[in-house]
Amino acid sequence: MPAFSETCITQSAMTPADRTALEDAGQRFAALTAANNADAVRAQTMPQFAQDFGGIAEAIRTAAPKLQGASFVRDTLWILDASTSKPGADGSAQDAQFFCNLNGGSLQTSFLIPALPAGRYALVVLNTAGTTEPYQIAMLLRQSTPGTWQMGGLFPRATTAGGHDGVWFWKAARDYAAKKQSWNAFVYYNEAEQLLKPVSFLSSSHLEALQAERSKSAPPALSTGISASQPLVIAAKGGAEFRVTSLEALNAPAQTGLDLLAHIHTEDAVSDPVALRARNAAAAKAIVAAYPELRSAFHGVWIVADLPNGTTFVSEEPMSAL
């Protein structure tokens, strides 16, 4: 489905009335999220999302413990005006694309939101203050009446991992790339992007520069990415193969550094916990044996085995055991 370019207004170009209304709405929804008050948020949510509220409710439940005692500080605001967008020939909402030039310069932020009904939207991003670990809440809001904004999407997330922010991970990734440690660099670039990107449908000049660096330094086996449909196949001793679908950084327990988190795809119906634990341990050993540079960057390895019945089996291996 084609994406139509709509109008974007940055916070510096907004009217004072719009800026105030958005800040008030953001603070209200953030406070309700911190209070784990999903019912109150649902009452102020766009009708189509209020009917299918499970995703937003789960985001509230997960984020609420992280937000206890927090106050919220504005990070940035955007108005995304799709009032004139037209539905497709079958009546369905089309994808909407917004391009936002920052301060009239060459730097740009863009948004590509799938199946967006016509309307006037905003993205509100708030950071926490007064919490042990920094946290961020992004909200996609839709204007129902002038000055009144409804919830359309809630995206809470941590902005640090292992005590470090996205810029730190970006610099560390560059250092690993310079040392030709391309596997460490790949994971650190990915973590930098996750920590710097408030929502999945946002892109920017800075993020594009990060992605270009990651592509340039990526190991050949990862040059086209890694996913469930395109796994990284690692052979272990004895003929076993493990299909790795993601590699990420993860906070190590008790703030002892960073762990490597790897998802593996499995097709056999093993249910015995002892056998599952042994397979996860073998997968961790195979990953580190194939790419020994990982020892210098991570405290241990967590394996998440995605099982055929839709469940997962998770276990940790300290690097000293691999």
Side-chain angles (χ1 to χ4, degrees), residues 30-57:
L32 291 173
T33 299
N36 199 19
N37 193 341
D39 289 340
V41 175
R42 186 173 189 171
Q44 302 173 65
T45 294
M46 294 168 54
Q48 59 265 51
F49 296 114
Q51 294 174 4
D52 184 14
F53 193 69
I56 296 176

Side-chain angles (χ1 to χ4, degrees), residues 208-228:
E208 288 170 3
L210 184 155
Q211 292 158 0
E213 288 183 25
R214 179 179 57 202
S215 296
K216 184 178 179 180
S217 66
L222 299 178
S223 59
T224 57
I226 177 175
S227 65

